[in-house]
mmCIF file of all heavy atoms in Angstrom:
data_model
loop_
_atom_site.group_PDB
_atom_site.id
_atom_site.type_symbol
_atom_site.label_atom_id
_atom_site.label_comp_id
_atom_site.label_asym_id
_atom_site.label_seq_id
_atom_site.Cartn_x
_atom_site.Cartn_y
_atom_site.Cartn_z
ATOM 1 N N VAL A 34 20.138 -19.294 21.941
ATOM 2 C CA VAL A 34 19.523 -18.460 20.883
ATOM 3 C C VAL A 34 18.159 -17.966 21.360
ATOM 4 O O VAL A 34 17.840 -16.783 21.215
ATOM 5 C CB VAL A 34 19.412 -19.237 19.550
ATOM 6 C CG1 VAL A 34 18.536 -18.499 18.575
ATOM 7 C CG2 VAL A 34 20.781 -19.496 18.960
ATOM 8 N N GLN A 35 17.387 -18.853 21.948
ATOM 9 C CA GLN A 35 16.056 -18.459 22.433
ATOM 10 C C GLN A 35 16.173 -17.369 23.492
ATOM 11 O O GLN A 35 15.410 -16.412 23.493
ATOM 12 C CB GLN A 35 15.328 -19.681 22.999
ATOM 13 C CG GLN A 35 13.919 -19.370 23.479
ATOM 14 C CD GLN A 35 13.193 -20.600 23.989
ATOM 15 O OE1 GLN A 35 13.759 -21.692 24.081
ATOM 16 N NE2 GLN A 35 11.942 -20.421 24.349
ATOM 17 N N GLN A 36 17.137 -17.500 24.377
ATOM 18 C CA GLN A 36 17.336 -16.498 25.448
ATOM 19 C C GLN A 36 17.705 -15.142 24.823
ATOM 20 O O GLN A 36 17.210 -14.109 25.242
ATOM 21 C CB GLN A 36 18.408 -16.978 26.420
ATOM 22 C CG GLN A 36 18.501 -16.153 27.690
ATOM 23 C CD GLN A 36 19.459 -14.970 27.569
ATOM 24 O OE1 GLN A 36 20.441 -15.016 26.849
ATOM 25 N NE2 GLN A 36 19.144 -13.903 28.258
ATOM 26 N N LYS A 37 18.546 -15.172 23.803
ATOM 27 C CA LYS A 37 18.927 -13.926 23.141
ATOM 28 C C LYS A 37 17.776 -13.322 22.365
ATOM 29 O O LYS A 37 17.626 -12.098 22.316
ATOM 30 C CB LYS A 37 20.139 -14.138 22.205
ATOM 31 C CG LYS A 37 21.416 -14.559 22.926
ATOM 32 C CD LYS A 37 21.795 -13.590 24.052
ATOM 33 C CE LYS A 37 23.045 -14.059 24.776
ATOM 34 N NZ LYS A 37 23.225 -13.391 26.055
ATOM 35 N N ILE A 38 16.948 -14.167 21.792
ATOM 36 C CA ILE A 38 15.735 -13.665 21.109
ATOM 37 C C ILE A 38 14.820 -12.982 22.121
ATOM 38 O O ILE A 38 14.291 -11.897 21.870
ATOM 39 C CB ILE A 38 15.015 -14.790 20.345
ATOM 40 C CG1 ILE A 38 15.841 -15.205 19.128
ATOM 41 C CG2 ILE A 38 13.614 -14.376 19.931
ATOM 42 C CD1 ILE A 38 15.328 -16.465 18.422
ATOM 43 N N GLU A 39 14.671 -13.598 23.280
ATOM 44 C CA GLU A 39 13.852 -13.000 24.334
ATOM 45 C C GLU A 39 14.443 -11.670 24.798
ATOM 46 O O GLU A 39 13.736 -10.676 24.949
ATOM 47 C CB GLU A 39 13.680 -13.968 25.508
ATOM 48 C CG GLU A 39 12.763 -15.116 25.190
ATOM 49 C CD GLU A 39 12.730 -16.176 26.293
ATOM 50 O OE1 GLU A 39 13.250 -15.929 27.389
ATOM 51 O OE2 GLU A 39 12.152 -17.256 26.027
ATOM 52 N N SER A 40 15.765 -11.663 25.002
ATOM 53 C CA SER A 40 16.433 -10.412 25.420
ATOM 54 C C SER A 40 16.228 -9.321 24.359
ATOM 55 O O SER A 40 15.908 -8.188 24.675
ATOM 56 C CB SER A 40 17.922 -10.633 25.616
ATOM 57 O OG SER A 40 18.154 -11.489 26.698
ATOM 58 N N GLY A 41 16.399 -9.706 23.112
ATOM 59 C CA GLY A 41 16.240 -8.739 21.997
ATOM 60 C C GLY A 41 14.812 -8.268 21.884
ATOM 61 O O GLY A 41 14.587 -7.058 21.657
ATOM 62 N N SER A 42 13.844 -9.153 22.033
ATOM 63 C CA SER A 42 12.450 -8.732 21.907
ATOM 64 C C SER A 42 12.060 -7.800 23.055
ATOM 65 O O SER A 42 11.345 -6.819 22.874
ATOM 66 C CB SER A 42 11.512 -9.924 21.804
ATOM 67 O OG SER A 42 11.547 -10.717 22.943
ATOM 68 N N GLU A 43 12.562 -8.095 24.266
ATOM 69 C CA GLU A 43 12.284 -7.197 25.397
ATOM 70 C C GLU A 43 12.939 -5.822 25.176
ATOM 71 O O GLU A 43 12.300 -4.791 25.394
ATOM 72 C CB GLU A 43 12.823 -7.824 26.719
ATOM 73 C CG GLU A 43 12.033 -8.986 27.186
ATOM 74 C CD GLU A 43 12.685 -9.754 28.314
ATOM 75 O OE1 GLU A 43 13.723 -9.280 28.848
ATOM 76 O OE2 GLU A 43 12.191 -10.825 28.658
ATOM 77 N N GLU A 44 14.178 -5.830 24.721
ATOM 78 C CA GLU A 44 14.872 -4.574 24.449
ATOM 79 C C GLU A 44 14.170 -3.800 23.319
ATOM 80 O O GLU A 44 14.004 -2.598 23.379
ATOM 81 C CB GLU A 44 16.338 -4.854 24.069
ATOM 82 C CG GLU A 44 17.144 -3.589 23.875
ATOM 83 C CD GLU A 44 18.604 -3.935 23.560
ATOM 84 O OE1 GLU A 44 19.275 -4.494 24.444
ATOM 85 O OE2 GLU A 44 19.007 -3.644 22.428
ATOM 86 N N GLY A 45 13.769 -4.519 22.280
ATOM 87 C CA GLY A 45 13.079 -3.905 21.166
ATOM 88 C C GLY A 45 11.742 -3.309 21.582
ATOM 89 O O GLY A 45 11.354 -2.244 21.122
ATOM 90 N N PHE A 46 11.038 -4.024 22.465
ATOM 91 C CA PHE A 46 9.748 -3.540 22.974
ATOM 92 C C PHE A 46 9.936 -2.257 23.793
ATOM 93 O O PHE A 46 9.164 -1.300 23.646
ATOM 94 C CB PHE A 46 9.070 -4.633 23.800
ATOM 95 C CG PHE A 46 7.748 -4.224 24.377
ATOM 96 C CD1 PHE A 46 6.650 -4.061 23.557
ATOM 97 C CD2 PHE A 46 7.616 -4.015 25.745
ATOM 98 C CE1 PHE A 46 5.419 -3.691 24.071
ATOM 99 C CE2 PHE A 46 6.368 -3.642 26.261
ATOM 100 C CZ PHE A 46 5.277 -3.485 25.440
ATOM 101 N N GLU A 47 10.977 -2.241 24.627
ATOM 102 C CA GLU A 47 11.249 -1.042 25.406
ATOM 103 C C GLU A 47 11.615 0.129 24.498
ATOM 104 O O GLU A 47 11.174 1.258 24.699
ATOM 105 C CB GLU A 47 12.367 -1.315 26.411
ATOM 106 C CG GLU A 47 11.944 -2.210 27.544
ATOM 107 C CD GLU A 47 13.108 -2.563 28.502
ATOM 108 O OE1 GLU A 47 14.210 -1.965 28.376
ATOM 109 O OE2 GLU A 47 12.909 -3.451 29.329
ATOM 110 N N GLU A 48 12.415 -0.165 23.464
ATOM 111 C CA GLU A 48 12.792 0.875 22.499
ATOM 112 C C GLU A 48 11.561 1.388 21.748
ATOM 113 O O GLU A 48 11.395 2.583 21.571
ATOM 114 C CB GLU A 48 13.820 0.301 21.514
ATOM 115 C CG GLU A 48 14.221 1.253 20.411
ATOM 116 C CD GLU A 48 15.107 2.401 20.866
ATOM 117 O OE1 GLU A 48 15.622 2.391 22.022
ATOM 118 O OE2 GLU A 48 15.307 3.347 20.082
ATOM 119 N N LEU A 49 10.699 0.481 21.335
ATOM 120 C CA LEU A 49 9.472 0.878 20.627
ATOM 121 C C LEU A 49 8.597 1.746 21.532
ATOM 122 O O LEU A 49 8.062 2.774 21.070
ATOM 123 C CB LEU A 49 8.700 -0.369 20.203
ATOM 124 C CG LEU A 49 7.338 -0.132 19.519
ATOM 125 C CD1 LEU A 49 7.510 0.636 18.215
ATOM 126 C CD2 LEU A 49 6.625 -1.458 19.296
ATOM 127 N N SER A 50 8.478 1.386 22.791
ATOM 128 C CA SER A 50 7.680 2.174 23.725
ATOM 129 C C SER A 50 8.254 3.566 23.903
ATOM 130 O O SER A 50 7.537 4.573 23.913
ATOM 131 C CB SER A 50 7.597 1.447 25.082
ATOM 132 O OG SER A 50 7.003 0.179 24.926
ATOM 133 N N SER A 51 9.559 3.631 24.055
ATOM 134 C CA SER A 51 10.237 4.925 24.219
ATOM 135 C C SER A 51 10.091 5.788 22.959
ATOM 136 O O SER A 51 9.829 6.992 23.059
ATOM 137 C CB SER A 51 11.712 4.678 24.541
ATOM 138 O OG SER A 51 12.416 5.873 24.633
ATOM 139 N N LEU A 52 10.275 5.185 21.798
ATOM 140 C CA LEU A 52 10.113 5.932 20.537
ATOM 141 C C LEU A 52 8.676 6.467 20.378
ATOM 142 O O LEU A 52 8.465 7.546 19.860
ATOM 143 C CB LEU A 52 10.484 5.043 19.345
ATOM 144 C CG LEU A 52 11.989 4.744 19.181
ATOM 145 C CD1 LEU A 52 12.183 3.660 18.119
ATOM 146 C CD2 LEU A 52 12.763 5.994 18.832
ATOM 147 N N THR A 53 7.712 5.685 20.831
ATOM 148 C CA THR A 53 6.317 6.090 20.709
ATOM 149 C C THR A 53 6.043 7.281 21.645
ATOM 150 O O THR A 53 5.360 8.235 21.254
ATOM 151 C CB THR A 53 5.375 4.913 21.055
ATOM 152 O OG1 THR A 53 5.709 3.819 20.168
ATOM 153 C CG2 THR A 53 3.942 5.290 20.867
ATOM 154 N N ALA A 54 6.582 7.223 22.857
ATOM 155 C CA ALA A 54 6.415 8.360 23.791
ATOM 156 C C ALA A 54 7.100 9.603 23.192
ATOM 157 O O ALA A 54 6.548 10.705 23.237
ATOM 158 C CB ALA A 54 7.006 8.023 25.148
ATOM 159 N N ASP A 55 8.295 9.427 22.654
ATOM 160 C CA ASP A 55 9.000 10.557 22.019
ATOM 161 C C ASP A 55 8.194 11.133 20.851
ATOM 162 O O ASP A 55 8.151 12.344 20.642
ATOM 163 C CB ASP A 55 10.378 10.139 21.527
ATOM 164 C CG ASP A 55 11.383 9.846 22.644
ATOM 165 O OD1 ASP A 55 11.082 10.250 23.797
ATOM 166 O OD2 ASP A 55 12.412 9.228 22.365
ATOM 167 N N TYR A 56 7.534 10.256 20.103
ATOM 168 C CA TYR A 56 6.735 10.730 18.960
ATOM 169 C C TYR A 56 5.532 11.537 19.450
ATOM 170 O O TYR A 56 5.177 12.548 18.815
ATOM 171 C CB TYR A 56 6.251 9.497 18.135
ATOM 172 C CG TYR A 56 5.659 9.919 16.825
ATOM 173 C CD1 TYR A 56 6.445 10.120 15.719
ATOM 174 C CD2 TYR A 56 4.269 10.073 16.677
ATOM 175 C CE1 TYR A 56 5.918 10.492 14.497
ATOM 176 C CE2 TYR A 56 3.717 10.441 15.470
ATOM 177 C CZ TYR A 56 4.537 10.660 14.374
ATOM 178 O OH TYR A 56 4.002 11.012 13.171
ATOM 179 N N GLN A 57 4.928 11.125 20.555
ATOM 180 C CA GLN A 57 3.832 11.937 21.138
ATOM 181 C C GLN A 57 4.341 13.327 21.492
ATOM 182 O O GLN A 57 3.681 14.338 21.185
ATOM 183 C CB GLN A 57 3.248 11.253 22.360
ATOM 184 C CG GLN A 57 2.384 10.059 22.046
ATOM 185 C CD GLN A 57 1.726 9.470 23.253
ATOM 186 O OE1 GLN A 57 1.702 10.061 24.347
ATOM 187 N NE2 GLN A 57 1.130 8.281 23.096
#
Side-chain angles (χ1 to χ4, degrees):
V34 168
Q35 182 178 5
Q36 191 272 329
K37 296 305 179 196
I38 289 171
E39 288 173 10
S40 295
S42 62
E43 289 169 8
E44 184 178 295
F46 180 70
E47 289 175 11
E48 177 72 11
L49 176 63
S50 301
S51 177
L52 288 169
T53 304
D55 290 346
Y56 191 85
Q57 286 185 11

